[in-house]
Amino acid sequence: MPQLAAPLLICLIAVVRAEAMRRPSSAIKSTSDGESMPIFHNFRGKLPQLLLPVLVGFLSGSTGAQIPAISSNTVTPLAEQTRWSIRLPKETAVAFQGSLSLDGAGPGAYQMMYPAPNAAGLIAAIITHGILAESTKNEQKRKLQTEADKILVPYQPLIESSTHQKLFEKALLSPSLQGDKSLVATNEKPQGDWWMDITPVYTMTQDQSSMILDNVTLIYTSNSSEKASYQNTIRVVSRAKTDDDLLAAWTGNEGQAWHQTTAEMLAQAVSIAVSDWQGAFSSADTTQRTIRYNEGRSEKMERAQLLSENCETSIIKTLRGWMMAVPTRDSIRQKLGCATTSTTVQATPPAAAASGTPTAAVN
């Protein structure tokens, strides 16, 4: 079996790199001196965790290596757990970034031949190429993100005034979040029946009409405080604003719309996470379909399950396993018999449909 170690090692490296490329780009918190600070990473791939024990078993000469099963956690109904809390992150400031297209930072920027005298040399060449390609791609992404963040310059005073404590306190006031709820300091141990650790990252579309929230969520219970009983990323896309002066719309009245929108989006993300954790969507249709939705004034598409929809929001589950709340499109609102809205925007169709990527009309 040891002769299989090298091929397995190559497979493991390829899988780890493939999984790493699926994570979202680093979120950027704009600072007053124009620098960009990477503060958000999300690597959630499970396959490398399963392959590693197999590789170790072969390297050690063991024939009894087994793949560990992914455990499923028991969901406790919310009605039985009314005391809950959200624990503040270590960082004080909330992360904001400009929306970014990575079409120009793909892995095919250049090709490399692999001259090597033997199999060992070939493996070394492949690994070196992977490191160089990844470094080049990351540098391209960093430059693109820095450029995308320039959209936030006029909103810098609002960003600087946005703290996790203020944001969470406002979100907890939402009537959609029931129970005996509280906010817990970073270094405090929550005392309720269950609690959340969350990391919200907000993205403004380049047309400035909409916000996107990616909220990494972990839920712990009093019976299992060391290991999260639920972990996922919840994405919420706000309905696009149609004001003629979008800067004034966001910043007027001391940023009332900015702070209200970000708090409502966070409350919605928390509510969806709890519902998913407790199995509220377990009876939903599992059919994968193409879902179209508006992200700002642009149309996006996503291969996903449609879990629920109403006049305001459609909730879907993506191929990545993320939960998403997107604005219900007017065509669906008409089918549902919803009242007409004056906030309709003309969406720009996507250049091409990318399956398995963030996209609510259903085909």
Side-chain angles (χ1 to χ4, degrees):
M1 293 300 180
Q3 64 268 26
L4 297 178
L8 281 172
L9 178 60
I10 296 174
C11 291
L12 180 60
I13 292 171
V15 170
V16 169
R17 289 191 63 239
E19 288 288 319
M21 290 174 66
R22 291 172 54 196
R23 66 189 178 189
S25 61
S26 299
I28 306 295
K29 179 181 69 175
S30 297
T31 57
S32 57
D33 58 3
E35 294 293 323
S36 298
M37 183 187 305
I39 62 172
F40 175 68
H41 301 279
N42 183 25
F43 183 83
R44 301 175 56 251
K46 299 296 183 184
L47 198 53
Q49 300 174 18
L50 303 181
L51 285 177
L52 188 57
V54 179
L55 177 60
V56 172
F58 277 113
L59 290 175
S60 63
S62 170
T63 60
Q66 297 184 6
I67 298 176
I70 298 175
S71 61
S72 58
N73 298 290
T74 303
V75 172
T76 306
L78 181 60
E80 298 179 11
Q81 297 184 334
T82 56
R83 292 182 61 229
W84 64 281
S85 58
I86 297 177
R87 185 159 47 190
L88 286 166
K90 293 180 181 179
E91 298 81 10
T92 300
V94 180
F96 290 87
Q97 63 180 6
S99 64
L100 169 67
S101 171
L102 293 177
D103 293 342
Y110 64 94
Q111 302 292 328
M112 178 184 285
M113 299 297 291
Y114 298 116
N118 50 43
L122 177 62
I123 293 173
I126 293 173
I127 294 175
T128 301
H129 175 217
I131 294 172
L132 292 175
E134 190 72 15
S135 176
T136 300
K137 186 180 69 174
N138 288 339
E139 178 63 17
Q140 290 175 330
K141 287 165 63 176
R142 187 191 66 79
K143 290 180 179 178
L144 289 171
Q145 187 63 66
T146 299
E147 187 67 23
D149 287 344
K150 292 179 179 179
I151 196 70
L152 296 174
V153 172
Y155 302 97
Q156 197 62 38
L158 292 178
I159 293 174
E160 293 175 354
S161 67
S162 298
T163 66
H164 282 122
Q165 179 152 352
K166 291 178 182 178
L167 173 65
F168 290 8
E169 286 175 347
K170 194 173 184 64
L172 284 174
L173 296 176
S174 171
S176 65
L177 303 179
Q178 299 296 318
D180 183 3
K181 51 199 176 182
S182 61
L183 196 58
V184 179
T186 306
N187 55 358
E188 286 185 32
K189 183 177 180 179
Q191 300 298 318
D193 299 299
W194 59 272
W195 58 90
M196 282 185 170
D197 285 343
I198 58 178
T199 307
V201 177
Y202 292 89
T203 301
M204 172 169 271
T205 58
Q206 287 297 316
D207 62 17
Q208 304 180 49
S209 67
S210 181
M211 287 275 204
I212 305 153
L213 166 64
D214 286 326
N215 193 44
V216 178
T217 305
L218 293 90
I219 300 179
Y220 300 86
T221 67
S222 56
N223 296 328
S224 180
S225 60
E226 298 300 323
K227 182 179 180 180
S229 62
Y230 177 85
Q231 180 176 351
N232 205 349
T233 297
I234 317 298
R235 172 169 289 185
V236 178
V237 181
S238 72
R239 189 171 293 277
K241 288 184 172 297
T242 57
D243 304 75
D244 293 333
D245 188 343
L246 288 169
L247 178 60
W250 285 114
T251 60
N253 295 323
E254 299 182 341
Q256 179 179 352
W258 176 283
H259 296 302
Q260 186 67 30
T261 299
T262 53
E264 288 176 351
M265 293 174 72
L266 183 61
Q268 187 174 21
V270 169
S271 178
I272 291 171
V274 174
S275 296
D276 187 34
W277 171 51
Q278 298 189 357
F281 305 115
S282 58
S283 60
D285 184 3
T286 59
T287 304
Q288 297 287 341
R289 62 193 78 190
T290 300
I291 307 264
R292 289 181 172 84
Y293 69 94
N294 290 350
E295 188 178 280
R297 293 190 172 96
S298 299
E299 183 182 80
K300 301 291 183 178
M301 295 190 294
E302 184 84 38
R303 288 297 292 178
Q305 299 169 230
L306 178 62
L307 303 180
S308 72
E309 60 186 4
N310 57 36
C311 292
E312 296 301 321
T313 303
S314 297
I315 298 177
I316 63 177
K317 185 174 184 178
T318 73
L319 294 175
R320 293 184 299 257
W322 288 19
M323 304 294 290
M324 285 184 66
V326 300
T328 300
R329 295 187 62 163
D330 286 344
S331 57
I332 302 300
R333 289 170 54 85
Q334 291 173 4
K335 292 180 182 179
L336 296 175
C338 306
T340 57
T341 174
S342 60
T343 59
T344 302
V345 296
Q346 185 65 40
T348 302
S355 102
T357 324
T359 287
V362 179
N363 287 348

